[in-house]
Amino acid sequence: MSTDHDGAESGQDEQPTHHAPAPVRVSRRPWVWTGVIALAVVAAVGIAIVVNQAREPFAFESAIMSAIVAMRTPVVTAAASVLDRLGSGLVSSFILPAVVVVGLLLWRRRWGALFFVLAIAASGLVTQVVKVVVGRVRPEDILVHPDFGSFPSGHASNAAVIAMALGLIFLRTWVWVVGAVYTLLMMASRMYLGAHWVSDVVGGMLVGAGAALIVWAPFAEKLYRENRMPHPPVWQKVERTHGG
């Protein structure tokens, strides 16, 4: 690939495709192991819930839930209910992922779109399998009508996988910060509404983040190179030069 005329072009030829970043080696092993450890912790907690707790909450979780119930207010309940709808049903399973995928494709991030879909699917699958296997009871002071199984939280895992996946796609500090805040708010809202115990939301967060990291591994270099490329929307013509 020749770059002898780099800097000599002007106007619309200043960013031809031959400016694509050179192949790189992305360190994946530490992050993959982080994902594996996260899922291993979920498995260990699930076993403890079934074997030691007979699918009941830990003592500290009951105390925390009692304190949360005593602090409920109409305003916070309304806000938590919005997060409940945002993280459940068609919205979290289809509408929100579809909007993200379409946006990624429109701004020329096809590898990012594929990775995002697979990460969401992997997190959802692991969450549902663990829910069925553990079969944990939900809190009694519940304000919503969720599906079967309290551990892990599907809302928390969905929020975490979205946050982690988008962070890995864009590699921007503000994306990580917004994703972390969104995940923490979702976790807090699930406990506030009485839908989950503490370990449920922590377990859900670990499932979502762990699944995203593991799925990310085979896409790591492609996502890094794609992130370094310009991303004009598909309706804008991209000028290509020989060797691009």
Side-chain angles (χ1 to χ4, degrees):
M1 179 183 298
S2 174
T3 58
D4 291 342
H5 59 289
D6 284 1
E9 304 290 344
S10 62
Q12 64 184 6
D13 293 330
E14 287 182 353
Q15 292 184 329
T17 56
H18 66 263
H19 284 182
V24 294
R25 292 183 61 84
V26 180
S27 178
R28 289 173 285 192
R29 185 173 299 176
W31 303 108
V32 172
W33 274 111
T34 300
V36 171
I37 291 171
L39 296 186
V41 170
V42 172
V45 174
I47 292 172
I49 290 172
V50 173
V51 176
N52 295 330
Q53 298 300 122
R55 296 182 170 83
E56 295 292 329
F58 296 99
F60 75 92
E61 293 181 308
S62 297
I64 291 175
M65 184 57 65
S66 297
I68 291 174
V69 170
M71 294 187 298
R72 284 173 176 166
T73 65
V75 173
V76 179
T77 299
S81 298
V82 172
L83 288 172
D84 172 62
R85 290 190 290 272
L86 182 62
S88 63
L90 290 175
V91 176
S92 66
S93 300
F94 299 102
I95 298 176
L96 184 57
V99 169
V100 173
V101 169
V102 170
L104 291 171
L105 291 175
L106 287 178
W107 270 267
R108 304 176 191 271
R109 290 181 182 266
R110 58 189 180 91
W111 287 112
L114 179 58
F115 160 63
F116 185 81
V117 169
L118 294 179
I120 292 285
S123 175
L125 177 62
V126 173
T127 299
Q128 292 305 313
V129 169
V130 176
K131 275 179 175 287
V132 172
V133 172
V134 176
R136 191 184 202 185
V137 297
R138 292 184 183 269
E140 294 182 357
D141 293 302
I142 188 169
L143 300 180
V144 291
H145 303 284
D147 58 8
F148 171 80
S150 187
F151 180 88
S153 166
H155 281 65
S157 64
N158 183 261
V161 72
I162 289 175
M164 181 64 75
L166 292 180
L168 292 169
I169 290 170
F170 292 102
L171 299 177
R172 295 289 186 272
T173 300
W174 71 268
V175 177
W176 290 108
V177 172
V178 172
V181 170
Y182 173 65
T183 302
L184 291 174
L185 286 175
M186 188 64 76
M187 293 168 65
S189 72
R190 300 314 288 165
M191 291 187 293
Y192 178 88
L193 293 171
H196 291 285
W197 308 103
V198 175
S199 57
D200 298 339
V201 296
V202 173
M205 180 269 294
L206 291 175
V207 168
L213 286 171
I214 293 172
V215 174
W216 165 82
F219 293 92
E221 293 181 4
K222 291 182 175 62
L223 289 174
Y224 179 78
R225 283 175 54 78
E226 186 174 70
N227 188 62
R228 297 282 302 279
M229 296 290 290
H231 300 97
V234 295
W235 56 84
Q236 291 184 7
K237 184 178 179 181
V238 175
E239 295 294 333
R240 297 179 179 273
T241 63
H242 180 69

